[in-house]
Amino acid sequence: MKSLGLLILIAPFIASCGDASSTPPITSDAVSQERISEIQQNIERLYPDKDENLKREILDVAVRAIDDIVFVEGGTFMMGDFKAPCDPVSTERMDWTPEAKCFSTYSSLESGAKFLHKVTLDSYYLSKFEAQLFDVDVYLHSLGLPFINGGREYLRDGDVFPKIKRKLHAFSASVSGWQEAKSYCNWLGEVTNIPFDLPSEAQWEYAARSRGENVYYATNNGYLQRKGDHYYDAEAAIYVDYKKEEWNYYSDERKVGIWPPNPLGIYDLTGGRREWVNDWFSVDYYKISPEYNPSGPEAGSMKTIRAGKTMTRFGVDPTTEDKIYGFRCSIQSSDF
């Protein structure tokens, strides 16, 4: 599925008593009616006893997950820290040249990113957005788990929950450890019969670097242009304020898709949450990584997190209870 299809109007689930005409249809730019029917059948099979509103919410999340997927054509690149100018005017506005000799970030020395190595990837798909709070909540609801925000549990049929949904609409999800992220993507796969999963670390970096380009930030132009900030114009020897339309980054932003995407059409790989990927973490893995479709060490004590500069990597205990990490899903296939 490399191109968008026609607009499809999907008939809503019909409750045992109620007027279906009062429920607006779900719309899709990419999902065929045949696939919608298949997803509906899967939902009925998986959740025969759930109420119709929840089934409809599951359908909505599943369809949007497919809508929001971006095709990433495979290829070969040098993964890791590809070096940077040693004395840049600003580390937020760097252009790579073959003369770049210094590591892009000090963390490369400790994380193993300093081991530049050749990687070749098959084509795949990656979500253009980080997983969103209330999409993950639909998954948790399907498991019979409560909605918890800020350490407090809220009833989904209570008076406060709709207000929270309005306030936090389109906010990225922060999850309780790596497994919750992994399970959500696999759940999408179960509902849709499409191989959703977390991306590999190599897939994440390849997409962040717009198919392996030597760019330092996964923004629309490879620079960080902070909201309300300025940069130094060396030729004119003056500081220049960024115009509002030039902003592409704000460190405290938790709403997905606020700033322009990178050239592949993927948002918030720089500037969003720190993201879980599928791989176990090892400082030495880059030294022994296979070239073709690397998937990380076979085992370990930490899972890999990607965030910040396009080569930045670090390991985190996958059972951490710190709900500061997000994720995005991929499709592990070039055609589906």
Side-chain angles (χ1 to χ4, degrees), residues 88-116:
V89 173
S90 170
T91 59
E92 296 185 354
R93 294 180 64 86
M94 296 189 296
D95 294 303
W96 183 85
T97 69
E99 290 72 39
K101 301 298 182 185
C102 292
F103 288 113
S104 305
T105 173
Y106 289 117
S107 68
S108 294
L109 301 173
E110 300 176 347
S111 69
K114 65 181 180 180
F115 299 113
L116 202 64

Side-chain angles (χ1 to χ4, degrees), residues 233-301:
D233 184 332
E235 290 187 4
I238 58 172
Y239 285 95
V240 180
D241 291 333
Y242 287 119
K243 299 175 183 177
K244 185 175 182 179
E245 60 268 24
E246 295 176 325
W247 297 347
N248 66 9
Y249 176 84
Y250 183 59
S251 60
D252 291 332
E253 186 59 65
R254 289 294 173 258
K255 203 166 188 176
V256 304
I258 292 295
W259 307 118
N262 78 347
L264 295 186
I266 303 173
Y267 295 80
D268 306 320
L269 289 162
T270 291
R273 292 188 184 274
R274 299 174 178 183
E275 296 185 16
W276 293 109
V277 294
N278 218 14
D279 305 34
W280 289 104
F281 178 83
S282 170
V283 170
D284 296 323
Y285 180 69
Y286 282 14
K287 293 191 289 185
I288 60 172
S289 169
E291 176 183 343
Y292 293 96
N293 298 314
S295 56
E298 292 185 2
S301 60

Side-chain angles (χ1 to χ4, degrees), residues 132-196:
Q132 296 180 44
L133 174 63
F134 290 103
D135 290 347
V136 174
D137 180 59
V138 170
Y139 160 66
L140 297 175
H141 191 184
S142 76
L143 297 177
L145 298 175
F147 174 77
I148 298 175
N149 185 62
R152 180 179 174 185
E153 181 176 329
Y154 294 90
L155 296 175
R156 293 184 180 90
D157 58 356
D159 295 334
V160 178
F161 185 69
K163 298 177 183 178
I164 296 175
K165 287 194 74 170
R166 287 193 295 272
K167 180 180 179 181
L168 303 182
H169 172 70
F171 272 51
S172 57
S174 57
V175 292
S176 299
W178 174 86
Q179 187 60 59
E180 187 168 289
K182 171 81 169 178
S183 296
Y184 174 79
C185 295
N186 289 165
W187 172 74
L188 285 177
E190 185 178 27
V191 169
T192 62
N193 282 339
I194 295 171
F196 278 97

